[in-house]
């Protein structure tokens, strides 16, 4: 798995759990729709910490909570 793939999977799962769209996530996070779209489509390979912080805040969690999931903790990432 790639780093960006793990982030995409995590954000997708969190949006499903919270019953929100990716568009709503962008609004809640104060991030432009294009930034979130680029991340979710894999065009952004290495999102900035600032972006991850805004996404986490929009989801009502810390960056640590956002990044604490099995794929992030247990997998070795393929080079992108």
């Amino acid at each position: 798995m790639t780093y960006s793939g793990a982030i995409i999977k995590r954000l997708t799962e969190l949006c499903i759990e919270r019953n929100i769209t990716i568009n709503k996530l962008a609004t809640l996070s104060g991030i432009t729709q294009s930034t979130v779209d680029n991340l979710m489509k894999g065009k952004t390979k290495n999102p900035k910490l600032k972006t991850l912080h805004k996404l986490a805040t929009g989801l009502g969690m810390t960056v640590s909570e956002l990044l604490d999931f099995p794929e992030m903790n247990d997998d070795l990432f393929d080079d992108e």
Side-chain angles (χ1 to χ4, degrees):
M1 177 175 284
T2 62
Y3 175 74
S4 61
I7 296 294
I8 292 166
K9 182 177 181 192
R10 176 69 166 164
L11 291 174
T12 300
E13 289 172 354
L14 289 168
C15 285
I16 290 169
E17 286 175 15
R18 287 164 169 74
N19 197 31
I20 60 172
T21 65
I22 297 300
N23 291 345
K24 181 70 173 177
L25 175 59
T27 301
L28 292 171
S29 302
I31 299 174
T32 63
Q33 180 62 43
S34 62
T35 298
V36 178
D37 279 342
N38 287 337
L39 177 61
M40 297 304 291
K41 291 178 181 176
K43 292 180 182 178
T44 300
K45 303 291 185 195
N46 193 9
K48 294 179 181 180
L49 181 57
K50 183 176 182 178
T51 301
L52 294 175
H53 180 265
K54 287 182 177 184
L55 290 166
T57 300
L59 290 164
M61 57 183 19
T62 66
V63 175
S64 296
E65 291 169 325
L66 176 66
L67 298 178
D68 187 19
F69 63 104
E71 290 82 5
M72 186 60 71
N73 295 322
D74 300 336
D75 286 355
L76 294 175
F77 296 109
D78 299 328
D79 289 340
E80 296 189 63

